[in-house]
Amino acid sequence: MKRLFRYLFLAALLAQAGCGYHLRGSIEMPAALKSLYIFGASGPLQNEMQQIMRASKGKLAPTPNEAGVVIKVLREDMRSRVLSIGSTGKSSESELEYYLRFQFFDDKETAMMDEQVIELSREFFNDQTAVLAKTNEEQLIRGEIYKQAARMILARARVAIDNQK
């Protein structure tokens, strides 16, 4: 019985490896996208881009001349607003709004696409009895927003590269 289980487990692993399954952090990228330079991005966005590039065997270039694609962040803004107020006069529901406007350039400083805009928002409940949990939840949501924005930037960069061919 154990031997059968081992064979089934091994077969499942081989099937996953053969179907092109990758861990979520890894993204297959074209050669031009293996080296990026980001200009004007916030620290959290740069950290997320660094993590994604590292997981995908790419890197953030130290200078624009060494990069296949240059991402110029024109505007980046994270705002928090109150959606509802409880009976105590404190916020009971909030929303985080993220706005990012950027453009792609090649290594010769030629624009690859028109300006791009990413807008993301997340609503969350503020439990006034667990103030520390509320703060932690907001930080988690901010991190997820930056992670999603970084993935969207890379997806659009891939389209920009494909359109130039």
Side-chain angles (χ1 to χ4, degrees):
M1 187 67 176
K2 278 188 173 184
R3 187 177 224 153
L4 178 64
F5 178 74
R6 285 183 184 165
Y7 286 128
L8 288 174
F9 182 72
L10 183 61
L13 282 176
L14 289 173
Q16 279 187 336
C19 73
Y21 173 81
H22 297 286
L23 291 175
R24 184 170 179 176
S26 114
I27 300 171
E28 189 61 39
M29 292 191 280
L33 203 52
K34 292 280 187 182
S35 179
L36 288 176
Y37 181 78
I38 303 173
F39 177 75
S42 66
L45 181 60
Q46 277 204 271
N47 289 341
E48 286 301 327
M49 292 293 289
Q50 178 76 35
Q51 288 179 6
I52 292 173
M53 294 299 290
R54 191 176 302 133
S56 303
K57 297 179 178 58
K59 64 176 180 142
L60 290 182
T63 65
N65 297 335
E66 299 174 31
V69 175
V70 176
I71 303 168
K72 183 177 181 183
V73 174
L74 304 169
R75 183 170 170 228
E76 183 179 13
D77 192 24
M78 177 79 77
R79 294 182 187 196
S80 178
R81 71 179 187 144
V82 176
L83 293 178
S84 63
I85 297 176
S87 60
T88 61
K90 296 183 179 178
S91 71
S92 60
E93 197 174 10
S94 295
E95 178 181 48
L96 284 174
E97 296 177 328
Y98 181 69
Y99 177 87
L100 178 66
R101 187 167 48 101
F102 60 96
Q103 192 167 11
F104 298 114
F105 295 91
D106 62 12
D107 56 354
K108 296 170 185 68
E109 298 182 26
T110 306
M112 298 171 73
M113 287 179 86
D114 293 338
E115 290 181 5
Q116 299 289 304
V117 174
I118 294 175
E119 293 182 85
L120 301 168
S121 66
R122 298 285 187 281
E123 297 175 8
F124 62 98
F125 179 71
N126 286 337
D127 185 3
Q128 294 302 318
T129 61
V131 176
L132 288 177
K134 174 184 78 165
T135 304
N136 288 340
E137 181 181 11
E138 183 175 338
Q139 291 304 318
L140 265 170
I141 292 170
R142 284 178 185 268
E144 288 299 318
I145 287 174
Y146 283 118
K147 189 175 290 191
Q148 184 177 2
R151 289 187 175 281
M152 291 173 79
I153 289 170
L154 287 176
R156 292 181 188 190
R158 177 179 277 168
V159 170
I161 290 169
D162 289 344
N163 287 343
Q164 285 211 317
K165 293 179 181 180

